[in-house]
Amino acid sequence: MGDASGTGIWIEPIADVRSPFEEKFGIPRQCGLAPHAQGEVCLREPYCDPDMLSGLADFSHIWLTFRFDRCVDQGWRARVRPPRLGGNVEVGVWASRAPFRPNFLGLSVVRLLEVVVAPQPLLRVAGLDLLDGTPVFDIKPYLPYADALPDAEGGYAATAPQPVLPVRFAKQAELDLAELPNPKAIRALLADVLAFDPRPAYRRGAEPERVYGMRMAGRDVRWRVGEQEIEVLALEPLL
Amino acid sequence: MGDASGTGIWIEPIADVRSPFEEKFGIPRQCGLAPHAQGEVCLREPYCDPDMLSGLADFSHIWLTFRFDRCVDQGWRARVRPPRLGGNVEVGVWASRAPFRPNFLGLSVVRLLEVVVAPQPLLRVAGLDLLDGTPVFDIKPYLPYADALPDAEGGYAATAPQPVLPVRFAKQAELDLAELPNPKAIRALLADVLAFDPRPAYRRGAEPERVYGMRMAGRDVRWRVGEQEIEVLALEPLL
């Protein structure tokens, strides 16, 4: 196992992600787009010896190699339709970061906020674009001299997606936020995520006043996209 | 398999690397340090359908997720001694890009020179830091807006390693090069690689005139490190 003889290899999760994203809908399309999307990378036995983390706190960012585990059942595709191309243009899966890929491996760079060694070793991170519970198979420090290529040509995704509309919180949403232990953080997270209009491309323009529900940060977030703004209507308790 | 339930996952190589690096000794310590280190990423069945590659040629760089397959037998370590710290200071393996890590997964960004679809689908790449035959488990386009963080703090590896000494080719080395089909390319590759003095840190300063042998590009490259220069003595046929 592990040589180039043609057989596959067996790899084990070394950590699990704790994230405010409890369903795929609403997750930023790349890491870093939602700076207020904070979470934890909780290291597993036997990979959580504090010895293994020494020196990591000197790095501002880390790579996470993970599995799109909630996509595996649907299988991989040879061609995909990137949201960046409006969802109606196909490219080869190797020309995309789509989850429906052979081996279902993902790669995200996140900001490292804190290295916690006790009681349980974990990494506090920001800029997450991962589902809660995502298994992590490797953690590497981000090396700017090797990894940062600002002049690289990014094909159909050469520039960052831009926020679509301002996000406004309705009175009920403000009242619901006030009940939460961390209203400011959840408010900032929702503003980050909704500004990009997470509706699937085929939904855009259709039913402008349709109310969407999105499970995030332990609440059922109700929102809609108006002409001039994206409005958060309420944060309802999960049923 | 593939969920966060705690069991590992089975992944399959989707490609194999063809590289001039036929042994670990001499391989650049990160991708991109040897721009003349060119090779190929040869896609395997059933992952080599040209459909899967459409759109990739518009990207200048790609990520390769690979296995340090020649390191697996030696097992992983909780602490490692990065060459960047002189080889005598330990850090945790999660704070390093060392190969001796749980799951033995590696990550390299390489320049995409050409997407070849026939007769066999392969990617011509440059800036390789991978052993010949390394199995690849994922290919992703490099997205500068998400992946390029030039202001990230790189800890003990904040800056790129610098060439140590000029590389000179002895007369015999020039004669040997002239016999090769691609002397300019091999000359440039050796200049890239040797300028960083690939000797293990504990060797530096010791036996200054010692002659080293390094299997590269199908030859046994003989070289030594003098006071003022690194000298390539000869490129001998492999026995």
Side-chain angles (χ1 to χ4, degrees):
Chain A
M1 242 173 49
D3 62 16
S5 67
T7 61
I9 61 169
W10 183 255
I11 58 175
E12 291 190 346
I14 56 105
D16 301 290
V17 170
R18 287 199 202 126
S19 153
F21 303 118
E22 297 159 48
E23 64 174 302
K24 292 173 195 166
F25 188 47
I27 295 183
R29 262 61 183 266
Q30 284 303 330
C31 48
L33 291 178
H36 295 95
Q38 297 192 10
E40 299 169 347
V41 180
C42 303
L43 288 138
R44 292 186 178 192
E45 290 286 354
Y47 309 114
C48 55
D49 181 335
D51 262 10
M52 299 176 76
L53 295 170
S54 68
L56 186 57
D58 295 337
F59 293 85
S60 63
H61 292 75
I62 55 173
W63 288 111
L64 302 176
T65 299
F66 61 91
R67 173 91 148 180
F68 291 104
D69 61 307
R70 257 60 61 91
C71 296
V72 173
D73 294 347
Q74 295 157 75
W76 63 270
R77 304 166 191 167
R79 299 172 70 80
V80 297
R81 299 171 182 272
R84 292 305 300 282
L85 292 174
N88 49 22
V89 177
E90 285 190 334
V91 302
V93 68
W94 297 136
S96 85
R97 306 273 279 240
F100 301 100
R101 56 200 306 115
N103 294 322
F104 300 89
L105 293 176
L107 179 65
S108 288
V109 58
V110 293
R111 177 175 292 279
L112 179 60
L113 299 175
E114 186 183 7
V115 176
V116 177
V117 295
Q120 190 212 353
L122 59 85
L123 310 177
R124 290 189 48 248
V125 298
L128 268 176
D129 61 342
L130 304 181
L131 259 179
D132 187 50
T134 295
V136 173
F137 293 86
D138 199 16
I139 296 167
K140 296 181 192 291
Y142 185 93
L143 302 183
Y145 81 80
D147 301 335
L149 306 172
D151 300 328
E153 294 156 27
Y156 61 81
T159 59
Q162 296 304 310
V164 175
L165 286 171
V167 176
R168 195 174 70 81
F169 289 76
K171 184 158 190 182
Q172 182 59 53
E174 298 287 7
L175 293 172
D176 295 341
L177 278 167
E179 294 173 354
L180 299 176
N182 48 355
K184 278 187 179 170
I186 302 300
R187 198 182 199 287
L189 169 65
L190 292 175
D192 277 358
V193 166
L194 291 175
F196 289 97
D197 185 359
R199 295 176 299 170
Y202 68 87
R203 278 278 182 208
R204 300 194 176 188
E207 308 169 73
E209 288 305 303
R210 176 192 171 107
V211 174
Y212 290 87
M214 177 174 72
R215 180 173 173 169
M216 195 170 293
R219 287 296 181 109
D220 180 10
V221 180
R222 316 294 294 182
W223 55 282
R224 71 179 162 211
V225 182
E227 296 297 320
Q228 306 299 329
E229 63 192 8
I230 292 172
E231 184 178 31
V232 182
L233 303 169
L235 287 73
E236 300 173 356
L238 295 171
L239 301 180
Chain B
M1 238 172 53
D3 63 15
S5 68
T7 62
I9 62 169
W10 182 258
I11 57 175
E12 291 189 346
I14 55 104
D16 301 290
V17 170
R18 289 200 200 123
S19 153
F21 302 119
E22 296 159 48
E23 64 173 303
K24 292 172 195 166
F25 188 47
I27 296 183
R29 262 62 183 265
Q30 283 304 328
C31 47
L33 292 178
H36 295 95
Q38 297 192 10
E40 299 168 346
V41 180
C42 303
L43 288 138
R44 292 187 179 192
E45 289 286 355
Y47 309 114
C48 55
D49 181 333
D51 262 9
M52 299 177 75
L53 295 169
S54 69
L56 185 57
D58 295 337
F59 293 85
S60 63
H61 293 76
I62 55 173
W63 287 110
L64 302 176
T65 298
F66 61 92
R67 172 91 150 181
F68 291 104
D69 61 306
R70 256 62 60 91
C71 297
V72 174
D73 293 346
Q74 295 157 73
W76 63 269
R77 303 166 191 166
R79 298 173 69 82
V80 297
R81 300 172 183 270
R84 292 305 299 282
L85 293 174
N88 49 22
V89 177
E90 284 189 335
V91 302
V93 68
W94 297 137
S96 86
R97 305 273 279 240
F100 300 100
R101 56 200 306 115
N103 293 323
F104 299 90
L105 293 176
L107 180 65
S108 289
V109 58
V110 293
R111 177 175 292 278
L112 179 60
L113 300 176
E114 185 183 6
V115 176
V116 178
V117 295
Q120 191 212 354
L122 58 85
L123 310 177
R124 290 190 47 247
V125 298
L128 269 176
D129 61 341
L130 305 180
L131 258 178
D132 187 50
T134 295
V136 173
F137 293 86
D138 199 17
I139 296 167
K140 295 182 193 290
Y142 185 93
L143 302 182
Y145 81 80
D147 301 335
L149 306 171
D151 300 328
E153 292 157 29
Y156 61 82
T159 58
Q162 297 304 309
V164 175
L165 286 171
V167 177
R168 195 174 70 81
F169 289 76
K171 185 160 191 183
Q172 183 59 53
E174 298 287 7
L175 294 171
D176 295 340
L177 278 167
E179 294 174 353
L180 299 177
N182 48 355
K184 278 188 179 171
I186 302 300
R187 197 181 200 286
L189 169 65
L190 292 175
D192 278 356
V193 166
L194 290 175
F196 289 97
D197 186 359
R199 295 176 299 170
Y202 68 87
R203 278 277 180 209
R204 300 192 177 189
E207 308 168 74
E209 288 305 303
R210 177 193 171 108
V211 174
Y212 291 87
M214 177 173 71
R215 181 174 173 169
M216 196 169 294
R219 289 294 183 111
D220 179 11
V221 180
R222 316 293 294 181
W223 54 283
R224 72 179 161 211
V225 182
E227 296 296 322
Q228 307 299 328
E229 64 193 7
I230 293 173
E231 184 178 31
V232 182
L233 302 169
L235 287 73
E236 299 173 356
L238 296 170
L239 300 180

